[in-house]
Amino acid sequence: DARRVSPVRLSQALLFSALIVGLAACGDGSNSPVPVPEVEPSLEFVNVFQPVALTPDGSTALLQQYNATGEFYFYRTATGSLELMGEVGDASVSAVTGLSADGMVTGFFFTDSIRAGVWTQAEGWRALANTAFPAGCDFNVSSAWDVSADGATVVGMLWDECGVAAGRWDVASGAGTMLQRLGVGFSPDRDPDNRATRIADDGSLIGGWAATEFAGRYPALWRPDGSGFLLEGLPPEEGGEVMAISADG
C-alpha cells in the first residue's frame, strides 16, 4: 500500500521502478543474451527501501531493506513479481551492491569483521579474501561494490591498515589483487585512499575514486591490467566519483 510508504522510501522506489519498468518496456531482446518480454510502459510502486542494481538486460532489479537483517529481493520487471532472495545482515554494517547477468550478488557483511562477499542462490554467501592486506583495520577488512556481467570479476575496496585501496577479485579462484594506487595521500607517510566502485559489463574498465591533494574523492579509472588514471578536465577542488560505466567501457 503506497499510502504506508515513507516519503523517502516512496521517492526511491518510485524513481527506481520508473527506470526499471521503462527498460523492460523498451527492450526487445535483440541486444541482450536473455530476451526480455515486451511490456506496456507503466509505473510500479515497490515497497523496499533501497534500489541497488539491474541485470544488464533490465529484467531483474536488486533491492534491499534497511533494517537489522538486510533482506534483499529480486524484482522481475516484466511480471512485477518481488522475490525475497536472502539476507546480508545488519544494514548499518552490511549491504548488497551489485548484480551479474545470471543473478550473482555482491556486497559486504559482518561476521567477526566486515568482509567482501558474493551470493548465489545455489551457495548463499561466500567471503572474498583480502590477500593483499589480511590484517585490515580493526574489524574492517574489505568490501565488494560491483561485478562484471558474466560474474567472473568483482571490484571493491581493501583495507590497508586504516587506509583503503581499490581491489579486484577473480571469483572462481577467490584471489584478490590491488589496483594501482592513484592520487595523493593526506600526509607524506600515507598512501592515497582509493576505491573501485563500478566495472563495465564486459570487464574492460573499472571506475571509482581516489583521494587527491584537493579532494577526498576524485574520479578514477582502471584498465584490465590494473593500471589506472585520474579523469582530466574537472575542477581539482570539486572532486567526485565514477558511479556508472557503459556496458563496453
Side-chain angles (χ1 to χ4, degrees):
D1 186 346
R3 291 171 296 179
R4 288 181 282 180
V5 183
S6 72
V8 173
R9 291 188 181 191
L10 184 59
S11 62
Q12 289 176 321
L14 178 62
L15 176 62
F16 196 71
S17 297
L19 170 64
I20 59 182
V21 175
L23 284 171
C26 294
D28 63 2
S30 62
N31 295 318
S32 170
V34 181
V36 180
E38 291 190 23
V39 296
E40 291 298 319
S42 62
L43 184 64
E44 298 288 340
F45 292 89
V46 183
N47 189 13
V48 180
F49 179 79
Q50 182 67 48
V52 179
L54 283 166
T55 52
D57 63 8
S59 66
T60 303
L62 172 64
L63 306 97
Q64 181 190 336
Q65 293 285 25
Y66 191 89
N67 57 22
T69 50
E71 298 97 344
F72 60 93
Y73 299 80
F74 284 174
Y75 177 82
R76 309 296 184 180
T77 59
T79 63
S81 64
L82 184 66
E83 304 170 30
L84 175 63
M85 304 307 295
E87 299 177 352
V88 69
D90 186 347
S92 65
V93 290
S94 307
V96 293
T97 55
L99 181 63
S100 73
D102 64 356
M104 176 183 288
V105 175
T106 59
F108 50 94
F109 52 88
F110 182 82
T111 51
D112 59 330
S113 56
I114 298 175
R115 295 179 181 274
V118 293
W119 175 94
T120 62
Q121 194 166 7
E123 299 181 2
W125 283 105
R126 172 165 65 96
L128 298 172
N130 181 353
T131 51
F133 313 105
C137 173
D138 297 326
F139 59 82
N140 294 295
V141 176
S142 58
S143 56
W145 284 86
D146 199 15
V147 60
S148 57
D150 62 6
T153 305
V154 168
V155 297
M157 186 170 73
L158 307 171
W159 283 88
D160 172 14
E161 295 183 345
C162 286
V164 293
R168 175 177 56 191
W169 288 269
D170 176 84
V171 174
S173 67
T177 56
M178 184 182 73
L179 303 175
Q180 181 184 354
R181 220 69 180 253
L182 303 173
V184 179
F186 292 120
S187 62
D189 59 346
R190 176 172 170 168
D191 290 326
D193 288 337
N194 288 193
R195 186 179 79 191
T197 308
R198 292 288 175 255
I199 184 170
D201 285 346
D202 65 2
S204 62
L205 193 67
I206 297 167
W209 57 262
T212 68
E213 182 180 1
F214 302 103
R217 295 187 180 190
Y218 191 87
L221 293 165
W222 290 268
R223 306 175 183 89
D225 65 3
S227 64
F229 57 96
L230 301 178
L231 289 182
E232 297 181 352
L234 300 175
E237 68 280 359
E238 292 186 5
E241 178 177 355
V242 176
M243 299 298 295
I245 302 175
S246 62
D248 60 2

